[in-house]
Amino acid sequence: MAISTTAAPAETNLARPHPSWLLIAISLVNMALGAVTAAVGLISLEFVWPESPFTAFCIMITLIGLGTTIGQYLGTFHRSLFGAHLGAFLPSFCLFSLLAVKTVAPLLLSLVGDVSETDFIAESTSFSLYIVIYGLPSFGVNVHWIFKLQAYAKQSDEKQRFAFSLLEILGLCILLAVVIAPASYQAHRNPALYLENVSAADVPLPLPTEAHNVTYQRNRSGVARATYEVTEEALKNWLLDHPPAENIQQQEITAPIQISIPNADQPLQGDYVTVTQGFQATWKMANRYLTLVYDRPSGTAYYEETVIPTVKD
């Protein structure tokens, strides 16, 4: 009877790696950070939509935030190498994205007022320190977890399969709802409006009763623009009877004046026309400068609101 001398293959009992409590804690913080970043990106996108040089930037911020939350969850709780890499690198991008929003915010908020450049510079400097203080430990813990997952993948034949429970799917739906809710509230709180060739009574703006062929735009920041046809006499009489008449400064146009006009595409800054003959009236109401330019040859009045930025001490 022949006896085999071939050694039996050694069994490997390599245990699956389990995330440490520190990794779990950092992962939860990063997931919340990603959700906040995505919400900020959507709010910014709603503010500048549809045409703005910042549109692609806001979309990128939203995707970075969602990628951070989902990637960190998959990397930590589903042992996904790809998710772990996202969890290592994207949180720092979230922090830098939020810092970038703080950089761009003064320009955007100048359309609705309440801007403080002095405070902004000081806050941005301190915010950069927070990025380093939190970003380095978060990166280190996630990279350590990546090494453990890579070591396990090299010694194990286990194929990674993603199976999500109903609770996880419900959690994803809740996450998306939380991310979308602030932008949805912002959109419903101050919706954009565009009306063309309507009567004065159809526009949410005080106008002379004689005004006709009115075109009106209110953008998402609440700034209004309008054009309408009216006689010069009717417009000047209306200015005399207007409530802030004592604050109105009126003068003849001696040099070409550019004024913004309504635009159906709702860009942050509208199109412009140049008026060379007529008169200009300006006055202040609350935190806005109101400008009314009358083009005498065409009998057209142009109305524009400009928000006065408030600089805090």
Side-chain angles (χ1 to χ4, degrees):
M1 180 176 179
I3 300 176
S4 174
T5 58
T6 305
E11 293 184 4
T12 58
N13 295 319
L14 185 65
R16 290 182 178 181
H18 294 282
S20 64
W21 286 108
L22 178 59
L23 175 61
I24 292 175
I26 288 180
S27 297
L28 294 176
V29 173
N30 286 344
M31 290 163 60
L33 174 64
V36 170
T37 303
V40 170
L42 280 180
I43 292 174
S44 304
L45 181 62
E46 192 282 330
F47 186 82
V48 303
W49 187 265
E51 293 185 6
S52 167
F54 303 109
T55 300
F57 172 70
C58 296
I59 293 175
M60 181 189 69
I61 291 177
T62 303
L63 295 178
I64 288 175
L66 291 175
T68 298
T69 299
I70 297 174
Q72 184 72 78
Y73 179 81
L74 293 178
T76 301
F77 301 103
H78 281 266
R79 302 180 183 87
S80 165
L81 261 175
F82 178 70
H85 279 88
L86 292 180
F89 292 97
L90 287 188
S92 294
F93 281 98
C94 283
L95 292 171
F96 279 113
S97 297
L98 294 176
L99 178 60
V101 170
K102 288 173 66 67
T103 303
V104 177
L107 176 59
L108 298 181
L109 292 178
S110 65
L111 302 174
V112 294
D114 197 20
V115 176
S116 175
E117 295 184 2
T118 303
D119 292 345
F120 156 73
I121 294 174
E123 292 173 4
S124 296
T125 303
S126 61
F127 196 79
S128 300
L129 296 177
Y130 295 142
I131 294 177
V132 176
I133 293 173
Y134 176 76
L136 289 179
S138 173
F139 177 78
V141 171
N142 274 282
V143 168
H144 178 70
W145 177 241
I146 289 174
F147 288 154
K148 293 180 68 174
L149 293 178
Q150 288 175 334
Y152 177 75
K154 289 179 180 179
Q155 301 180 42
S156 173
D157 295 331
E158 178 183 352
K159 293 183 179 180
Q160 191 171 27
R161 297 177 181 178
F162 289 108
F164 301 100
S165 66
L166 290 177
L167 186 61
E168 287 175 314
I169 296 174
L170 177 61
L172 177 62
C173 294
I174 294 175
L175 168 67
L176 294 177
V178 170
V179 169
I180 294 173
S184 178
Y185 170 77
Q186 173 68 18
H188 286 84
R189 185 179 67 88
N190 197 16
L193 179 64
Y194 182 81
L195 302 172
E196 188 172 6
N197 295 330
V198 297
S199 66
D202 297 326
V203 175
L205 188 72
L207 297 176
T209 55
E210 298 87 352
H212 58 281
N213 291 338
V214 181
T215 299
Y216 172 83
Q217 173 209 352
R218 183 184 64 223
N219 63 20
R220 295 177 187 273
S221 63
V223 175
R225 305 180 181 100
T227 65
Y228 52 91
E229 296 179 10
V230 67
T231 64
E232 182 174 357
E233 180 182 2
L235 183 58
K236 287 185 174 180
N237 290 336
W238 178 80
L239 286 172
L240 290 175
D241 296 334
H242 206 54
E246 65 279 4
N247 297 324
I248 292 180
Q249 298 179 358
Q250 184 175 319
Q251 60 184 7
E252 284 291 311
I253 296 175
T254 57
I257 291 178
Q258 279 195 330
I259 187 166
S260 180
I261 62 174
N263 188 313
D265 293 330
Q266 297 286 352
L268 281 177
Q269 300 294 332
D271 295 329
Y272 289 87
V273 296
T274 302
V275 178
T276 57
Q277 298 180 41
F279 70 90
Q280 177 185 28
T282 58
W283 65 98
K284 179 180 177 182
M285 183 177 295
N287 68 329
R288 302 190 179 187
Y289 281 126
L290 310 181
T291 302
L292 186 64
V293 175
Y294 185 74
D295 184 27
R296 192 169 288 129
S298 65
T300 303
Y302 300 95
Y303 172 88
E304 177 186 15
E305 295 180 357
T306 305
V307 176
I308 308 169
T310 303
V311 179
K312 298 178 182 179
D313 296 329

